[in-house]
Amino acid sequence: MSEATGTAAGPGEMLSEAGAEALVHGICFKTGPPRLLGVELEWLVHDLDDPRATVTPERLEAAHASLEGLPVTSPLTFEPGGQVELSSRPAESLTACVETMAADLATVRPVLREQGLALAGMGLDPWQPPRRFLREPRYDAMERCLDRYGPAGRIMMCTSASVQVNLDAGVEEPGTMGHVRRWRMSHLLGAVLLAAFAHSPMAEGRPTGWRSTRQLRWAEIGVERAGAPPLEAEPRAAWTRRALDAPLMCRRRTVGPWEVPEGTTFRDWLRRGEADGSGPRREDLDYHLTTLFPPVRPRGFLELRMIDAQPGEDGWIVPLAVAAALFDDLAAAETAYRAVKPLAERSRPLPAPHNPLWTGAARHGLADPELREAAAICFSAALEALPRLGAGTAVTDAVGEFAERHVARGRCPADDLLDRVRQGKEPF
């Protein structure tokens, strides 16, 4: 794609193709010294006494109502299957991010506990089939669209949960903290994080043969919607092409069901609209970008989407701390990049997550020797970096315990879950 030269439309104004290119190109990577950090936590909602029991829609509705208006700092929302999501505001340090989110969770959990419910940290519900709780036009349209790819879309909508780490894109200049290097590393280190924190080995009561079935299901909704752009290309141009050439999920309407076109890309809509005056507006482009689900999504910052929800009340802290250390500490970032760079040979010919590297990470976790070796180097670098980032003893100890229990032994949380189930115990 040649550099976009069109003038971007304002809110409510129809976009030209060149204007849409200019908008995406201009907003996908906001560069500057890495300074801010965020985390988005999705949780399944389970019965406190019997996690295998189906939580009825009536109980979910009552639980959601009780959570609305709580004095939490992080925006609290709900996913289509009733999952609870807390999205931190950008924090200026790892410690601030951890403390704020921990305080919010300490507010939410007792309210649910009073209703006999608990937040469960697993990448995919090991017992329940997908049942949609939220009935809204956007989720109706999403379900109709994703059903074209098979059952994976409903599974992702209704039974999945994750830890999403948000990091600054990096500086404009080349080098360790440059946005081009960080973009590339996020897709190589991302496979290591996927393998290390894989925690979804079961579905509907049975092992699936994958450590991260959640990542498998994301891949199954297709390259055009869930795939990364080619890493060899310049990041802004590559993402702009991928975004505009991706299929439309829907066209929103103020009244009635949303339209779910088939075989129409956002670029098609732009070109037809320029011809007949019915093209998309800025807000349509903004919404379209939220319907793309690559493992790393550029939203001005980098959204790492490959990490399964983690076990325990505080398990989410470890992937957050490891990612922050490996991206935002200069020495750790350089060490991590050298460790994961050889993995690029396994990432061809397809972009993540549809290539052998990511497939191997999702299927085998750290039982994969190359991923285990890279993870060992990266966790060691993270442990050295965390004190430099101001992390407290509790955070550093949690990362060290995870490294000893899992990374050093070539295991991931999915292996622990499978062991417990085989022993007749509950998964958490």
Side-chain angles (χ1 to χ4, degrees), residues 6 8 36 68-69 111 125 175 190 219 235 260-262 282-283 285 301-302 321 347 358 369 374 410 420 424:
L36 299 176
E68 292 179 347
V111 175
D125 195 307
V260 182
E262 186 168 6
R282 166 70 182 266
E283 48 269 35
L285 175 59
F301 53 89
L302 301 179
S347 67
W358 280 69
R420 291 182 61 83

Side-chain angles (χ1 to χ4, degrees), residues 182-270:
R182 286 163 72 88
W183 174 246
R184 180 173 175 78
M185 187 169 86
S186 68
H187 290 84
L188 299 176
L189 179 59
V192 178
L193 298 176
L194 164 61
F197 297 110
H199 189 222
S200 51
M202 297 180 61
E204 299 189 39
R206 295 184 298 275
T208 63
W210 293 71
R211 299 305 199 279
S212 179
T213 310
R214 172 182 166 274
Q215 184 58 65
L216 168 66
R217 299 302 178 223
W218 271 124
E220 287 177 340
I221 68 173
V223 173
E224 292 177 316
R225 190 163 303 283
L231 289 186
E232 295 77 15
E234 192 280 320
R236 287 189 176 96
W239 177 247
T240 299
R241 282 194 298 270
R242 171 52 56 87
L244 298 189
D245 290 335
L248 277 175
M249 177 172 281
C250 57
R251 289 192 183 98
R252 298 175 297 169
R253 292 175 174 170
T254 55
V255 179
W258 292 5
E259 181 185 357
V260 182
E262 186 168 6
T264 300
T265 68
F266 197 87
R267 195 182 300 278
D268 293 334
W269 189 10
L270 288 163

Side-chain angles (χ1 to χ4, degrees), residues 259-392:
E259 181 185 357
V260 182
E262 186 168 6
T264 300
T265 68
F266 197 87
R267 195 182 300 278
D268 293 334
W269 189 10
L270 288 163
R271 290 176 176 176
R272 293 172 188 171
E274 286 187 276
D276 62 17
S278 64
R281 273 57 178 171
R282 166 70 182 266
E283 48 269 35
D284 295 312
L285 175 59
D286 292 341
Y287 183 79
H288 172 69
L289 295 175
T290 70
T291 70
L292 307 180
F293 308 113
V296 183
R297 186 161 60 182
R299 299 175 55 194
F301 53 89
L302 301 179
E303 182 183 73
L304 308 187
R305 302 173 49 84
M306 74 291 296
I307 302 169
D308 285 348
Q310 295 297 288
E313 292 193 354
D314 299 325
W316 57 272
I317 294 175
V318 177
L320 170 63
V322 169
L326 296 179
F327 276 89
D328 290 350
D329 179 85
L330 184 63
E334 189 60 38
T335 298
Y337 186 70
R338 290 197 302 267
V340 302
K341 190 175 180 181
L343 298 176
E345 293 300 317
R346 289 177 57 186
S347 67
R348 299 182 177 92
L350 296 172
H354 299 90
N355 58 45
L357 174 63
W358 280 69
T359 300
R363 183 185 289 276
H364 303 297
L366 292 186
D368 182 298
E370 288 183 286
L371 290 169
R372 177 181 179 179
E373 180 181 359
I377 297 170
C378 289
F379 270 74
S380 178
L383 282 166
E384 292 181 6
L386 284 171
R388 295 194 292 267
L389 294 180

Side-chain angles (χ1 to χ4, degrees), residues 378-425:
C378 289
F379 270 74
S380 178
L383 282 166
E384 292 181 6
L386 284 171
R388 295 194 292 267
L389 294 180
T393 302
V395 171
T396 304
D397 287 349
V399 174
E401 289 168 7
F402 186 98
E404 182 177 347
R405 178 177 177 178
H406 294 103
V407 179
R409 300 167 62 197
R411 291 172 60 89
C412 58
D415 296 307
D416 296 343
L417 191 155
L418 288 171
D419 286 349
R420 291 182 61 83
V421 170
R422 292 186 188 112
Q423 296 165 8
K425 301 176 182 178

Side-chain angles (χ1 to χ4, degrees), residues 53-65:
T54 300
V55 179
T56 65
E58 292 76 18
R59 292 184 72 190
L60 277 176
E61 185 173 3
H64 288 188

